[in-house]
Amino acid sequence: MFLLLIAIIIFTYIVHYKMGRKKLVELSKKLPSDLPALPILGHAYLFTGTDEDTMKSIQKSGKIALKHGGLATFWMANQLYLVVADPAASEVLLKNCLEKDNNSMRFLQFLVGNGSIYSSVSIWRPRRKLLAPTFNTKKLNRFVDVFAKQSAIMVEQLRPSVGKGTISVWKYLTTYTFDSVCETTLGVQMNAQSQPNHPFLEAFDEIAELMSRRMVRPWLHPDWLYRILPHYQRAERCRRLIYDFVDNVIKLKRQEMEAKQREANYLPKSGNETSISFKGTKDSYLGFQSLLEMLLETSLKVKGFTDLELREETLVMSAAGTDTSAVGASFALVMLSRHPEVQEKVFEELHEVLEYGDKAVTAADLPRLKYLDAVVKETLRLYPPVPIIVRLATSDTELQSGVIIPEGTSILLNIWAIHRDPRYWGPDADIFKPERFFEPLTHPAQFMPFSYGLRNCLGYLYAMMSMKTVLATFLRQYRVLPPAGADPKTLKEPIRVKYEIMMKAVDKFQLQIEPRTPQVTRTIG
Ligand code: HEM
């Protein structure tokens, strides 16, 4: 009897599995990829080669989907991926499929553990609820002074390179965002701009590269194999360094907050270290509350985050906030170097809103910089720092077109392709034209550099503020030009890009910088 029961269970499982696979195979036939699938590997061979080749494959998959009305399928080994390059389908999928595709996500979880960005819905939902209030406009407005201060430092760091030929702006922008993110999220002044080889930043860069390589190389996927490779040893060393650093910050911040509370007589002198009651919101020594401090405070008032959760969430914010905004601002500078007429319009607007001089940009100035806003958006459209996002269909999901996406399908939303769809952006979809953002969008999901739906980017407002502040501060002082000796024909072609979890310029954003007149020298306070 027992054996019969086991046999029935196994039989039912096999039938269920086969039925599920049948639906996936049917979908792959209905929405073909146009490219041959190899035995065992499927289309995984597309992701061999350099990071630039990987990005080319992402673009190719998007183009194929666009050719077929926005949907195509690919096999990565035995896993079916639906590539989506259609706003209407994206809207349905991003509203209904909240679970992330674990096949690719588990490699990113290596660093951020259960941090909300890659976690399962059951972990993500309560965390998002706690995190969301910290990103409101009023609180973020207080960060603009930090962005302005760090931008001024960046402008000074660049001064020796002004008028001296071609340079890569990447290191300047990434240390700017890193210092800003650390100060506003962790409440720590890192000074990476004056110390660009900061070990924390280097570890972050290295681990991002290692994780993205593993993600797209199936032979690095099995844990047992990965753990014996030097790749893993390097990743583990970076992870340890990052964890130690963040854990220390959390510890120090706890102590700092507790001492401050005691000083202000918020606590009885004999207060128990672990049961502190925060009665009021006090600004830190930085003059504002960092996101970590807000979370620490919440954690002590209501059932909030444990130290491990705090580590995970602060890491998500640091990882999600640093390179993304640096990539966005760097691409914007490259686009402006290629479009001098647009750069002049930005400069005129800056002159109008901020006047000549070196008055720091304030939160009140940002909404008035409308043309700069359109320039940033147009850059994010053509060069979205996060060109793909993934989801998993946890139940059969019907699209508006009637196509049913079966449970178990991995979904790859190709933001790069959605942003270049001529059906939504017109025949000049590939052209840089900021003015298009003065017209209403045809579909709310046709522009989604920050994703769309309930799991969209929490930091989009933060990112827009940071990018606009640094660009405004930079462009008031300097003019950007293409690299010396650049072939005019190449400058008309799309920027060469590579995929490293984020999309970056292959040449690390090379430019020439010239001073604006009248030149203003600024002393950093
Ligand atoms: C140009 C800059 C940025 C871009 C393009 C960007 C893009 C994205 C995208 C596409 C996602 C969603 C991924 C998905 O749907 O699977 C995301 C999630 C997230 N981003 Fe950003 N991001 C940027 C800046 C920031 C900043 C500055 C912060 C914080 C300081 C931040 C914090 C987050 C967080 C916490 C999530 C996870 C949200 C959740 O799962 O609930 N991002 N970001």
Side-chain angles (χ1 to χ4, degrees), residues 261 266-267 272 275-280 300-301:
Q261 295 292 318
Y266 278 84
L267 274 180
N272 177 339
S275 61
I276 296 153
S277 120
F278 280 77
K279 289 184 186 153
L300 293 161
K301 277 183 190 159

Side-chain angles (χ1 to χ4, degrees), residues 154 169-178 181 319-337 372-387 419 432 447 449-450 459-460 462-472 474-475 480 495 497-498 500-505 508-509 511:
M154 190 193 85
V169 285
W170 172 246
K171 203 75 194 171
Y172 296 93
L173 265 309
T174 190
T175 46
Y176 154 74
T177 49
F178 184 72
V181 165
T322 299
D323 274 9
T324 44
S325 310
V327 168
S330 303
F331 272 125
L333 287 178
V334 174
M335 292 315 278
L336 290 173
S337 76
L372 179 62
D373 193 79
V375 165
V376 174
K377 286 180 177 153
E378 180 67 343
T379 305
L380 296 177
R381 180 182 75 83
L382 287 172
Y383 295 98
V386 184
H419 283 183
F432 183 68
F447 178 64
F450 299 106
Y460 75 94
Y462 175 115
M464 287 301 290
M465 287 173 160
S466 170
M467 288 187 290
K468 281 173 75 177
T469 307
V470 73
L471 289 170
F474 178 103
L475 292 164
V480 280
I495 302 171
V497 284
K498 58 180 177 176
E500 284 175 359
I501 305 184
M502 252 151 269
M503 185 172 74
K504 295 179 183 160
K508 295 198 170 172
F509 307 99
L511 294 170

Side-chain angles (χ1 to χ4, degrees), residues 471-482:
L471 289 170
T473 313
F474 178 103
L475 292 164
R476 278 164 88 201
Q477 305 258 344
Y478 305 134
R479 176 185 284 115
V480 280
L481 301 167

